[in-house]
Amino acid sequence: MTFSEADLLARVPDKLFIGGAWVPSTSGRSIDVYDPSTGLVIKTIADASVEDGIRAVDAAAEVQASWGSTAPRVRGEILRGAFDLLQERADEFALLMTLEMGKPLAEARGEVTYGGEFLRWFGEEAVRISGRYGVNPEGSGRMIVTHLPVGPSFLITPWNFPLAMATRKIAPAIAAGCTAIVKPAELTPLTTLYFARLLEEAGLPAGVLNVITTSTSGEVSAPIIADKRLRKLSFTGSTPVGRTLLKQASENVLRTSMELGGNAPFVVFDDADLDKAVDGAMLAKFRNIGQACTAANRFIVHESVADEFAARITARVNELTIGRGTDDGVAIGPLINDGAVDKADALVQDAIARGATLLTGGSRVDGGGSFYQPTVLSGIVPGSDILREEIFGPVVTIVSFTDEAEAVALANDTEYGLVSYVFTRDLARGQRLIESLATGMMGLNVGVVSNAAAPFGGVKQSGIGREGGSEGIHEYLETKYVLTPDPFGGR
Ligand code: NAP
C-alpha cells in the first residue's frame, strides 16, 4: 500500500452529507470511532441531530422527481463509474473497514469485491426495468404494467459489513430512481462516509444520496420514518430492532425491506465429503470472525461422523492466528467491542455449565482490544442458550443426530430462517432438504452463498424482502397497472 493509516483516515469526511454538501451537525456533538483491535479512537465525526435527519429528508424529497425521471442509462453509468472508482481504491476501502471494524485485511478485500459487485450488477439492472402490455381476458381493453421508483428511501445498515450492506441498498435505490438517506451504524460510519464521497466523484447529483451519522439512532430515525415524504424503509440489523422499525413504519404505511438476524444450521450427513464439509464449515463459521448474519450457528452432524468432524474442525481452529486485522496471516481479528466478547463468553460458559464439552478455546484474550479465542464445543445439550441465540463470534457448536427427520427438526427449531448449509452426496436427500428446511437461502455442499446476482434474504423472523439478484431492484419499485380501452373499439 502506498498510503498510511493516518493519511487514509485524514481523507475520510467527518461531516454529514446532505444535499450534496458536507455540513456540520447542528447538535454540536461528535462521535468517536474506535479501532476494536486497540480500543483507541481513530477518528471523530459529526453526530446528527433530529433536525439534521429532517434536513436529509428535505434534500432527498427535493430531487426525487428529477432523479426518478433521469434516464436509466445515466443512473446505470453512474453506478458503473462508482464500481470502477472502487476498484482503484480497493486497498483504501479494505484498510478502512479493517480499522473501524476489525476484520482481517484479506477479508476486507473480499468485501470490497462483494460490495462492489452490487454497483456493477444494479448498474446493469437499471436499464432492464421492464413492464408488460397485453389484451385483457375479455378482449375489451389493453393492460399496461409498469414500474416506477418508490420514492425517498431510508436505509439503515449494521456494522458487520460496512461497505457491502451499504452498496446492497444504495445501488438498487439509485438504479431504480429513488433518492435516499443512509444511516450507518455508529460503530462503523467511516466506510459509508468515504463511499458517499466516491459517489459524489462518480457524478451522483446532489441530494440523491444523503448520509447521516448519529449516536442517537432511535431518536433521529423515528421522525424520518414518520415523515410523510418518506416512502420506503430498508433495514439490515437485528430482529428486535427490525420489529421496532416495522411498528414505526406501519404508521406511515411504508414499503419495508428487513434483513434481520440468523441462526444458521450447518447439517453434515454421514455420506458427506468430510474434507469439503470441514472447509465449508471454516468459511461459514469464521468469515468475519463469526459476525455474519449468515454465520453457521449450529453444526448438526450425523452421530457416526460427529467425533471425526469435531476433531478435524478443532485441528483447523488451533491453526488460526489471532491478531490485529492489518497484520499478515491473521485469521481472527477482534470482535466489534467488549460487549460482543461478553455475550459470546456468556453463551459459551452457559453451554459448558449445562454439559457441553470444550474442545478448544473458550475464553477471552487478555490485553488490549476485544478478542475472543476461536472455540469449539461439542455435545451441546438441547435447550442451551447458544443454540437459540445468534452467537456472533468465533464459536463452533456441535450437536449430533441419528436420522434425516431429526436433522430437519433440529435445523428448523429456531425462530430464524435466513440460511442453511447442507453437506450430503445424496442428490435426492439434498432436494428434500431444499424443500424441508425453512430458510430463504441454502448452501448445498458450499459454505458461503452471498452473491450480488442472487436474491439474499430470509423467512420467519429473519426478514422480509430480498436484496441482490433481479429481485433486489423491485424492493425500490412500485408496480403501476393501467387499463386502456380496446383501440379497435370492440371489434
Ligand atoms: P442493530 O443493533 O439492530 O443495528 C443495526 C442498525 O440499526 C445500526 O445502524 C443501528 O445504529 C440502527 N439502530 C439501532 N436501533 C435503532 C432504532 N431504534 N432506530 C433506528 N435505527 C436503529 O444490529 P447490529 O448489531 O448493528 O448488527 C448485527 C445484526 O444484524 C445481527 O442480528 C445480524 O444477524 C444482522 N444482520 C443481518 C443481515 C441480513 O442480511 N439479514 C446482514 C448483516 C447483519 P446504531 O448501532 O448506531 O445504534
Side-chain angles (χ1 to χ4, degrees):
M1 284 182 208
T2 53
F3 53 88
S4 69
E5 290 176 14
D7 288 344
L8 173 61
L9 288 166
R11 282 199 287 278
V12 176
D14 59 2
K15 298 194 169 54
L16 311 174
F17 188 51
I18 299 177
W22 293 94
V23 296
S25 163
T26 58
S27 74
R29 297 186 311 259
S30 57
I31 299 173
D32 286 336
V33 182
Y34 296 86
D35 175 343
S37 70
T38 61
L40 300 175
V41 174
I42 52 173
K43 181 128 187 149
T44 299
I45 60 164
D47 188 357
S49 64
V50 168
E51 190 187 331
D52 296 325
I54 296 301
R55 279 199 294 158
V57 181
D58 294 342
E62 193 180 327
V63 297
Q64 176 57 58
S66 63
W67 181 242
S69 58
T70 298
R73 177 68 76 198
V74 172
R75 304 197 300 252
E77 292 286 313
I78 290 172
L79 287 172
R80 175 65 207 208
F83 171 80
D84 291 337
L85 281 174
L86 185 64
Q87 307 315 304
E88 285 169 24
R89 295 184 199 157
D91 283 346
E92 293 182 9
F93 276 91
L95 179 59
L96 193 54
M97 282 192 279
T98 294
L99 291 178
E100 67 174 341
M101 185 270 163
K103 67 183 72 192
L105 207 43
E107 287 195 34
R109 288 205 181 92
E111 184 174 343
V112 175
T113 303
Y114 173 53
E117 283 303 328
F118 290 101
L119 303 172
R120 178 154 66 174
W121 174 262
F122 285 111
E124 293 159 350
E125 288 293 281
V127 292
R128 289 182 181 74
I129 302 170
S130 54
R132 53 183 206 269
Y133 179 90
V135 181
N136 66 354
E138 299 74 24
S140 57
R142 298 295 177 267
M143 304 168 87
I144 301 166
V145 178
T146 188
H147 300 287
L148 300 170
V150 170
S153 303
F154 187 28
L155 318 176
I156 303 179
T157 58
W159 51 264
N160 60 345
F161 292 96
L163 179 69
M165 297 303 96
T167 56
R168 208 163 76 173
K169 296 185 191 304
I170 293 170
I174 288 176
C178 293
T179 60
I181 302 114
V182 61
K183 192 208 78 61
E186 178 188 359
L187 294 168
T188 59
L190 304 183
T191 304
T192 305
L193 291 168
Y194 203 42
F195 180 64
R197 173 151 282 175
L198 181 149
L199 281 174
E200 207 184 354
E201 281 182 54
L204 192 70
V208 174
L209 182 79
N210 306 277
V211 183
I212 51 168
T213 51
T214 177
S215 66
T216 51
S217 50
E219 200 184 308
V220 170
S221 298
I224 297 176
I225 296 168
D227 192 304
K228 297 293 175 218
R229 296 168 295 174
L230 194 79
R231 292 316 317 141
K232 162 93 195 177
L233 170 64
S234 178
F235 170 72
T236 299
S238 62
T239 297
V241 172
R243 287 190 193 108
T244 301
L245 295 176
L246 277 171
K247 281 185 205 138
Q248 293 177 6
S250 71
E251 285 298 316
N252 206 357
V253 193
L254 293 179
R255 281 279 298 275
T256 54
S257 303
M258 292 280 142
E259 296 286 348
L260 308 179
N263 181 356
F266 188 109
V267 187
V268 182
F269 284 93
D270 48 354
D271 63 6
D273 178 329
L274 222 50
D275 290 334
K276 291 207 172 99
V278 170
D279 286 346
M282 294 302 289
L283 280 172
K285 179 75 250 182
F286 292 103
R287 196 167 67 105
N288 224 37
I289 320 141
Q291 301 168 113
C293 52
T294 51
N297 215 52
R298 297 167 295 146
F299 289 83
I300 300 167
V301 186
H302 190 267
E303 59 186 1
S304 67
V305 291
D307 288 345
E308 169 79 9
F309 180 81
R312 290 207 207 179
I313 283 273
T314 303
R316 291 279 291 273
V317 166
N318 285 335
E319 290 169 3
L320 298 175
T321 305
I322 307 174
R324 189 167 194 242
T326 47
D327 295 344
D328 283 345
V330 164
I332 301 292
L335 297 188
I336 189 66
N337 55 24
D338 289 345
V341 173
D342 291 344
K343 183 188 171 198
D345 193 50
L347 290 171
V348 168
Q349 301 316 327
D350 173 74
I352 294 170
R354 290 177 193 241
T357 305
L358 177 68
L359 298 176
T360 191
S363 59
R364 66 189 71 226
V365 178
D366 291 332
S370 305
F371 292 92
Y372 196 75
Q373 290 178 333
T375 296
V376 182
L377 294 167
S378 68
I380 312 281
V381 175
S384 300
D385 293 347
I386 209 163
L387 298 178
R388 208 180 51 246
E389 292 186 27
E390 265 191 301
I391 305 169
F392 246 54
V395 181
V396 174
T397 60
I398 302 171
V399 294
S400 61
F401 68 89
T402 52
D403 59 25
E404 188 178 309
E406 188 187 5
V408 169
L410 287 169
N412 283 339
D413 184 19
T414 169
E415 64 177 358
Y416 296 108
L418 189 60
V419 62
S420 50
Y421 304 92
V422 172
F423 279 75
T424 178
R425 286 190 173 106
D426 182 336
L427 179 60
R429 171 183 279 149
Q431 287 178 311
R432 284 195 296 277
L433 283 147
I434 290 171
E435 296 183 27
S436 54
L437 293 189
T439 56
M441 302 178 284
M442 180 190 281
L444 189 50
N445 295 314
V446 295
V448 177
V449 296
S450 305
N451 191 301
F456 188 106
V459 300
K460 293 161 67 180
Q461 312 267 323
S462 286
I464 302 167
R466 294 293 181 268
E467 292 190 322
S470 48
E471 290 83 354
I473 199 164
H474 283 279
E475 300 283 317
Y476 297 89
L477 290 168
E478 287 291 5
T479 298
K480 184 167 225 168
Y481 153 64
V482 181
L483 181 66
T484 63
D486 171 12
F488 296 97
R491 63 183 172 173

